[in-house]
Structure formats: structure tokens, C-alpha cells
Amino acid sequence: EQMNALPDDGFGYGLLRYLNPGTAPVLAGYDRPQIAFNYLGRFDTALEGGQSVESQLGGGADPGMGLAHTLEINAIAHGSAEGVRLDAVWSWPQEVLDRDEVAELADLWVRMLGVLAGHAALPEAGGHSPSDFPLVTLEQEQLDGWAGEGMVVEDVLPLSPLQEGLLFHALFDEDAVDVYNVQLAFDLSGALDAGVLRRSAEVLVGRHASLRACFRERENGEPVQVIAGSVSVPWRVVDLSEYSGAGQGERVARLLEEERAARFDMASAPLMRFLVIRLAPDRHK
């Protein structure tokens, strides 16, 4: 997050540090860094003639030239059929540090890399930070709070103007019926495998991110839509096959009315639910 906060990835620092007459004296007053870490990137192929990429990127300065840092680390990754290997070259002035001191520090660094790699392999490792969602401005505490609720966040997006309007009406009077709740009712005839139907609904919701959206507020009150990575699809089955005629019709109408009136928690995904009404062995709604 600190590196992402640098304007243009720090590209203009040299201009400000050395050439800009207004900023160069200010920056010159700060302490010079004692350690330089330079990651040269990843290379998967060797150069012509069998030369390694590392040999071409090594320093060519005169040995008598002063070093800019007390310790310099140049690291490079290169891949092969066996995997990716990270190499690091440590350079230091012998009059300031001795080999044992640098070797001890290098050993600690390697051990810490092993700890980080081991942690990253754990199922509970990882998580999002604000820069993962560039379309909105979030705080780390907010992301941590959502994760603490057990929410698996896939994406966080701003609202479209239409969504803003719909959300306003949904939250304006939470005791009234949400007039924008949409109910679709289908009559199904023939044999029904309710398990297959339920799994189909789960696959549909899992396939389309927009069906896994809920709406949360940022710390400044501005709403955002949070796409949940996984959700539990609300599913209910009511058996009215023991009723017939007008009695069954009245109960179906009452169920549909109750479903229309039941409000959604806009902060919890998915904002849809399913009700299967069994009218007869070969008729469902």
C-alpha cells in the first residue's frame, strides 16, 4: 500500500531530489538510506553464448569507487523447468562491515522468506488491501471488518446512478413495502427434481457476480456494492399438496403476498431468494 501510494511509482523522485531548485535542498537534508534493495526482475532465458542474465546485470564500477550505501542487495529471479529461483548478491564496504555480520543478516533474511512462504501456503493466509479495489476508496479497517464477518469479498465497485436511486428508496422507509422488489412466479408441470433445481440456482448465482452483490457504506457514508465471492442461496420448500381447490389457491396467494412484502437486508448477499411450492406430485410453483 505504501508503494502504491507513491505518485507515478516514484518516477519523479530524481528530478525533485537533484534538479528542482525548490525541493532539492529540502530532500538533501534527510538522512541517506543505509541499505539499498534492488529487485532486477524475473528472467526465464539465458543470453547468447551461454552467458547468464546475472552476469550482464552485475556492477561494473571501479573497486576504488565509494559505495552509496552501507549494504546493497541486488536480487533477481529466473525460471526453469524445475521452477523459479531467487538469487541475491550482497555488497558492502569491508571497512564498515565484516563478512560474518553480513552472512548473519543474509541468513536471517532467507529464514524470514521461508516463514513468509510457509504462511502464504496456509488456507487462512491472504486477504485484501485497499489497492485491490481501484474504483473505490476504502480503508483497511473496513476490509478487515467485512472479513471478520466471514464475508469473502471478490470485488468492491461504485454504484451506477440507477442503483443509487433504487438503494435510496429501499432504505428510505424500512418498515414499508419495497416497491422495487420483483417477484417472478412460474408454473412447473411434470416430474420435478427439486435438488437439481436448487443446484441450478446455486450455479447461476455463482456464475454471475452481479447476483452476489450487496450494498455497504464507506466510513463517509457513501454506498458501495460489495461482490461476495461465495454466498448461500436462500431456498425454501412448502408442500401444499394436501390442499385442493380454493383452499390451496388461497394459501398460494398468501405465500406469494408474504414473499413480496418480505424485505431484503441490503447489506447481505444475495439479494434474491427462492420458494418452491408443491401443489401436486406433478405440479409446482
Side-chain angles (χ1 to χ4, degrees), residues 1-284:
E1 291 302 310
Q2 291 175 339
M3 294 183 67
N4 285 325
L6 296 176
D8 298 324
D9 294 327
F11 186 74
Y13 175 77
L15 174 66
L16 297 173
R17 171 64 177 84
Y18 300 106
L19 299 180
N20 188 307
T23 58
V26 177
L27 293 175
Y30 288 96
D31 292 334
R32 296 179 62 87
Q34 297 295 300
I35 299 176
F37 183 88
N38 185 22
Y39 176 59
L40 300 171
R42 172 174 168 174
F43 299 86
D44 291 344
T45 58
L47 299 177
E48 294 182 5
Q51 290 181 308
S52 67
V53 177
E54 295 92 319
S55 67
Q56 297 299 306
L57 295 176
D62 186 282
M65 183 177 177
L67 295 177
H69 306 90
T70 304
L71 182 64
E72 294 185 357
I73 307 166
N74 288 282
I76 184 171
H78 53 87
S80 64
E82 290 76 26
V84 181
R85 189 181 75 209
L86 179 68
D87 289 335
V89 177
W90 299 61
S91 306
W92 67 94
Q94 296 181 16
E95 292 79 5
V96 179
L97 300 172
D98 61 40
R99 186 179 185 86
D100 291 339
E101 291 175 320
V102 176
E104 181 183 4
L105 180 59
D107 178 65
L108 291 171
W109 182 69
V110 171
R111 287 164 56 187
M112 180 54 68
L113 288 180
V115 170
L116 289 174
H119 172 75
L122 297 176
E124 65 271 17
H128 289 296
S129 59
S131 62
D132 292 325
F133 310 109
L135 298 182
V136 296
T137 301
L138 298 169
E139 300 295 333
Q140 184 65 52
E141 291 77 11
Q142 195 156 39
L143 292 174
D144 293 341
W146 294 341
E149 298 175 16
M151 178 185 295
V152 179
V153 178
E154 180 177 295
D155 205 353
V156 184
L157 303 169
L159 272 61
S160 69
L162 178 58
Q163 285 177 312
E164 290 181 350
L166 294 174
L167 183 62
F168 170 81
H169 287 288
L171 300 178
F172 179 72
D173 186 356
E174 296 185 352
D175 294 326
V177 174
D178 187 347
V179 296
Y180 289 106
N181 269 7
V182 176
Q183 183 183 78
L184 301 177
F186 303 93
D187 292 310
L188 306 176
S189 60
L192 174 66
D193 189 328
V196 170
L197 186 62
R198 181 173 187 173
R199 290 193 296 272
S200 299
E202 292 171 344
V203 170
L204 182 72
V205 173
R207 178 180 299 165
H208 299 285
S210 60
L211 300 182
R212 289 178 273 110
C214 62
F215 299 87
R216 298 295 184 97
E217 286 188 354
R218 293 172 48 206
E219 292 185 350
N220 63 0
E222 177 185 344
V224 293
Q225 56 176 316
V226 180
I227 307 299
S230 61
V231 297
S232 177
V233 178
W235 188 272
R236 187 161 67 106
V237 178
V238 176
D239 190 351
L240 297 180
S241 59
E242 61 181 279
Y243 303 96
S244 61
Q248 188 183 72
E250 291 175 358
R251 286 173 171 80
V252 170
R254 186 161 59 248
L255 279 173
L256 295 180
E257 183 179 354
E258 291 172 354
E259 281 293 310
R260 279 195 302 271
R263 298 179 63 92
F264 285 97
D265 177 5
M266 305 303 288
S268 179
L271 298 177
M272 61 190 314
R273 57 180 176 263
F274 296 86
L275 169 65
V276 178
I277 305 175
R278 189 171 189 264
L279 305 174
D282 59 349
R283 289 193 305 114
H284 296 78

